[in-house]
C-alpha cells in the first residue's frame, strides 16, 4: 500500500485534493489506520484517480464525475470523451493564437504610425481582369471574421477549378463589398485570374472591373498581420488629397508555404478631393 503522500506523487495530484476526494466520497482510501488515522491507498486505485482527473478536465462537476466512475465508464468511451476535450482545447488554442496575432498587429500599427515613406505608395490604374470566384458573407470586416472564411473559400475554389479543368493564369485577388443585408456584414470574394469563358454555377467566372485610380502598397508577411500596412495606406490617402471609394483589393503576388513570406499588393480605389471654392 501507499501512504497518502506516495499515492499523491504517483497520481500527480496534491494530498489536499486526495483528502477532499475522501471527504466527498469520490475516492476513499483502501485502508485507514484506526490508531493514527493515516490513509493508505493501493496501486489499483490509480485507475479510478485517473478517470476522476480526466473527467474533471472535461468540465464535469465532482458529482457528475462520481456518477460516471461509479457506473464504470469503459476505456473506449473515456477515450472518446478525452478526444472530444482535446479537440475543444485545440480549437480554443487556435482562437487564442489568432487573437494574439491581432493584438500584435494592433501594437505594430501603433508603433508604425506616421513612419511609412511616401514613395511606398503608388497611385495607378488597375485594368479589368477576368477571374473565377467563390463568395461568402462574414459578420464584419474585422480580420477575426475574414480570416476563417477566406482560406477555406480559396481551398474550395481551387478544388472546383481543378475539377473543371481550369488552370489559373494569374494571382489571387480577394475583394470585398458591403453585404446586401447590411448590419456591417461583408461579402467576401475569393477570386483568381483565369482565361476561360464567362460562367455561373458552382463558381462564377466574371470580369472584375478596372479601377481608374488606386492607391497601392505592397505588404510583406501574413495577411493576419496586414493591419499596420492597411492603416498606413489609409493615412497616406487622407493626407495626400484623396478619399477612399471602396474596400482595398488584395492581390497575392507571392504565397509560399511560410505565410510570413507572403507578398500582397493592397489596391485601394480612391478619388481625388475636389478643392472647396
Amino acid at each position: 500500500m501507499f501512504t497518502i503522500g506516495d499515492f499523491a506523487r504517483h497520481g500527480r495530484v496534491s494530498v489536499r485534493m486526495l483528502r477532499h476526494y475522501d471527504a466527498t466520497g469520490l475516492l476513499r482510501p483502501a485502508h485507514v489506520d484506526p490508531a493514527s488515522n493515516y490513509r493508505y491507498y493501493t496501486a489499483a486505485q490509480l485507475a479510478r484517480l485517473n478517470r476522476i482527473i480526466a473527467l474533471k478536465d472535461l468540465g464535469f462537476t465532482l458529482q457528475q464525475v462520481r456518477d460516471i466512475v461509479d457506473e464504470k465508464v469503459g476505456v473506449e468511451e473515456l477515450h472518446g470523451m478525452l478526444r472530444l476535450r482535446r479537440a475543444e482545447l485545440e480549437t480554443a488554442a487556435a482562437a487564442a493564437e489568432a487573437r494574439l496575432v491581432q493584438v500584435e498587429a494592433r501594437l505594430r500599427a501603433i508603433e508604425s504610425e506616421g513612419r511609412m515613406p511616401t514613395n511606398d505608395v503608388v497611385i495607378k490604374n488597375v485594368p479589368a481582369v477576368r477571374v473565377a470566384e467563390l463568395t461568402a458573407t462574414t459578420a464584419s470586416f474585422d480580420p477575426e471574421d475574414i480570416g476563417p472564411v477566406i482560406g477555406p473559400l480559396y481551398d474550395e475554389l481551387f478544388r472546383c477549378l481543378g475539377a473543371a479543368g481550369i488552370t489559373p493564369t494569374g494571382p489571387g485577388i480577394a475583394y470585398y463589398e458591403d453585404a446586401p443585408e447590411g448590419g456591417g456584414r461583408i461579402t467576401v470574394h475569393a477570386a483568381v485570374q483565369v482565361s476561360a469563358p464567362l460562367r455561373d454555377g458552382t463558381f462564377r467566372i466574371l470580369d472584375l472591373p478596372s479601377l481608374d485610380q488606386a492607391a497601392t502598397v505592397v505588404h510583406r508577411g501574413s495577411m493576419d498581420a496586414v493591419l499596420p500596412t492597411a492603416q498606413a495606406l489609409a493615412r497616406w490617402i487622407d493626407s495626400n488629397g484623396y478619399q477612399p471609394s471602396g474596400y482595398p483589393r488584395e492581390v497575392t503576388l507571392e504565397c509560399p508555404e511560410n505565410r510570413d513570406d507572403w507578398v500582397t499588393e493592397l489596391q485601394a480605389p480612391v478619388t481625388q478631393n475636389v478643392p472647396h471654392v
Side-chain angles (χ1 to χ4, degrees):
M1 284 191 177
F2 299 110
T3 65
I4 190 170
D6 288 338
F7 189 73
R9 283 190 290 274
H10 286 297
R12 303 296 178 92
V13 296
S14 67
V15 169
R16 182 179 179 182
M17 183 178 290
L18 289 177
R19 288 176 177 154
H20 179 60
Y21 290 167
D22 181 13
T24 58
L26 189 58
L27 180 59
R28 300 285 193 189
H31 174 71
V32 177
D33 187 286
S36 63
N37 284 327
Y38 286 169
R39 298 171 175 87
Y40 294 91
Y41 296 82
T42 66
Q45 288 180 286
L46 286 170
R48 183 178 178 92
L49 178 62
N50 288 337
R51 282 165 171 73
I52 290 169
I53 300 303
L55 292 167
K56 272 189 60 186
D57 287 344
L58 284 169
F60 292 108
T61 67
L62 289 184
Q63 181 60 51
Q64 290 171 325
V65 169
R66 181 161 52 191
D67 291 342
I68 293 172
V69 295
D70 286 345
E71 291 174 7
K72 299 181 180 178
V73 173
V75 172
E76 286 303 316
E77 185 176 355
L78 184 57
H79 281 178
M81 296 167 70
L82 290 172
R83 283 193 292 269
L84 175 61
R85 179 57 174 162
R86 180 178 61 189
E88 292 172 346
L89 290 172
E90 288 172 348
T91 300
E97 184 177 355
R99 285 194 296 272
L100 179 59
V101 169
Q102 296 309 318
V103 168
E104 291 174 345
R106 292 283 177 185
L107 288 173
R108 284 195 294 273
I110 292 169
E111 293 166 356
S112 64
E113 286 177 359
R115 293 185 188 174
M116 177 181 285
T118 56
N119 60 2
D120 281 354
V121 178
V122 176
I123 295 290
K124 65 183 180 182
N125 170 268
V126 177
V129 61
R130 181 159 293 187
V131 298
E133 71 169 31
L134 288 175
T135 64
T137 301
T138 62
S140 75
F141 196 54
D142 291 346
E144 291 181 358
D145 291 325
I146 298 293
V149 170
I150 196 163
L153 266 185
Y154 268 112
D155 291 342
E156 178 64 13
L157 176 62
F158 288 126
R159 188 194 66 78
C160 291
L161 291 176
I166 298 173
T167 301
T169 58
I173 305 172
Y175 66 103
Y176 311 90
E177 59 187 350
D178 293 328
E181 58 265 38
R185 297 179 70 80
I186 298 295
T187 300
V188 177
H189 299 257
V192 65
Q193 186 173 341
V194 296
S195 178
L198 301 176
R199 63 169 282 176
D200 285 312
T202 306
F203 62 92
R204 293 182 65 201
I205 295 181
L206 68 154
D207 291 324
L208 191 59
S210 63
L211 300 175
D212 292 335
Q213 285 189 111
T216 66
V217 69
V218 172
H219 169 71
R220 300 180 185 277
S222 167
M223 290 304 290
D224 292 334
V226 74
L227 185 65
T229 306
Q231 289 192 352
L233 177 60
R235 288 194 297 272
W236 186 96
I237 290 170
D238 183 60
S239 61
N240 283 271
Y242 294 90
Q243 61 183 18
S245 56
Y247 293 95
R249 295 178 183 176
E250 300 164 356
V251 181
T252 304
L253 304 179
E254 298 178 23
C255 56
E257 185 174 349
N258 186 347
R259 294 163 64 90
D260 291 335
D261 294 331
W262 284 9
V263 179
T264 307
E265 184 178 68
L266 305 185
Q267 301 175 342
V270 295
T271 56
Q272 200 151 15
N273 288 330
V274 178
H276 293 293
V277 180

